[in-house]
Amino acid sequence: MEKIDSKARRDVLKAGAMAGAALGLGSLITDDRAYAAGKSNITADDIAILQFLRVAEALETDLWEQYTELVENNPGYAAAIKDVDPALAQWIMDTVRDERSHYTFITAYLESIGVTPADLSGFYTLPPPPVDGLAPTLRLTNLTDLTVNTNWYARYRTSANPDFGDQSPQIANIVNLPAIPTQNGLDAGTLKQIAYTSIFHFASIEQGGASLYTQFLPKITNLDVLRIVAGIGPTEAIHFGVFQTALGRMDGYTSPDGTVMFPNLSNNRQLSFSVMPAPCNFLKTGGALPLNSVIRPSSTPVAGAVAAATGLTNSGLFTGQSQAFFNAAGALATAADAAKRGHS
Ligand SMILES: [Fe+2]
């Protein structure tokens, strides 16, 4: 499978955003504007937000379905996951239930107000690896070659807030690694590495979801849409918080060739118990206001739809997807980020 570097992936997405209108997404967005202007107090911007969040939920559902199938039916993966924390299997199964309900609800809500949800059916094109437990169904997401951001671990334990440009270090170096088994018969060490990669991915996805939903809140006009976004967003944060607790049970892993290393997070109980969001700079920086325990980031440049889509693209989650997919995701993300409260 062709690999593209981060810059190229960003460019692909940017080009997609510009090309989206020419490839059908523009007409969807235009239809939404016509609907909003004529039939409801829901603004076209509100609909743009829901259209993008529905895509995000489709992606989440797709990746969590793969993890669920494996933890239920792939004994090697299941054993490696449960070895870190026996509760993880339940949490994975519950999370896919939740994500599917988000996707189904937003889809039904859009239809209930006469809006056509963006057609994603042509993007389920990625064959999963042929391993025990994983149904040979074409997928939206690719979990076999991930570069997983882990800077949220330090971010949520300090006053750092990326909204103000604060950077936090990575605590693991997960670059182009599989988060699921790519063949049968893998040894226990390789399965442990895969389980560790996927557990970091679980928390990484959900903290991103919490930020994405939070940053949309000040942009929403209609109260039902506000209730939907305010109701779903915190469940992403709950998922993140729960999966974080499993990290504290990781006792470290180094691959035989020394190229892959996961830290031992079980030997610093003070740090691993610190799963609550430490107070951070919020709204203003530089001491103008006291520190506040909040979801962060929550600003459009670093937590918005384009930022989320770009981050997921750079992680390799869409490796193998068509240009049409990037066009669609880019167009929907750009429209969602342009939303303003009270604007139609
Ligand atoms: Fe969700």
Side-chain angles (χ1 to χ4, degrees), residues 53 56-57 60-61 64 95 98-103 106 206 209 213 232-233 235-236 239:
L53 287 175
E57 296 297 347
E60 283 193 305
T61 301
W64 281 109
T95 301
D98 299 352
E99 306 299 4
R100 195 180 288 124
S101 80
H102 296 161
Y103 172 76
I106 295 173
E206 299 300 313
Y213 271 87
I232 293 176
T235 69
E236 311 283 342
H239 296 164

Side-chain angles (χ1 to χ4, degrees), residues 53-189:
L53 287 175
R54 177 175 167 276
V55 174
E57 296 297 347
L59 298 171
E60 283 193 305
T61 301
D62 186 83
L63 70 90
W64 281 109
E65 280 177 348
Q66 295 182 62
Y67 288 130
T68 300
E69 290 170 28
L70 288 165
V71 85
E72 287 183 315
N73 297 311
N74 184 298
Y77 178 79
I81 286 284
K82 291 173 187 169
D83 193 47
V84 177
D85 191 330
L88 273 164
Q90 187 67 49
W91 296 341
I92 291 168
M93 291 186 283
D94 288 352
T95 301
V96 78
R97 174 202 63 195
D98 299 352
E99 306 299 4
R100 195 180 288 124
S101 80
H102 296 161
Y103 172 76
T104 305
F105 185 90
I106 295 173
T107 301
Y109 180 78
L110 286 171
E111 290 171 345
S112 78
I113 59 169
V115 171
T116 305
D119 182 7
L120 307 176
S121 60
F123 303 135
Y124 289 80
T125 57
L126 303 175
V131 295
D132 292 344
L134 208 47
T137 316
L138 296 175
R139 315 286 175 147
L140 267 176
T141 62
N142 184 337
L143 300 175
T144 65
D145 187 13
L146 290 182
T147 296
V148 179
N149 175 36
T150 62
N151 70 12
W152 38 266
Y153 189 91
R155 183 201 319 150
Y156 270 108
R157 286 164 174 78
T158 65
S159 61
N161 185 341
D163 291 336
F164 304 112
D166 297 337
Q167 306 280 335
S168 298
Q170 304 284 331
I171 62 151
N173 189 28
I174 308 174
V175 178
N176 296 125
L177 294 180
I180 57 175
T182 53
Q183 60 187 75
N184 289 325
L186 295 173
D187 62 71

Side-chain angles (χ1 to χ4, degrees), residues 11-22 306 323 326-334:
D11 290 346
V12 163
L13 202 72
K14 212 181 286 174
M18 289 186 282
V306 170
Q323 186 58 46
F326 292 105
N327 293 341
L332 291 169
T334 301

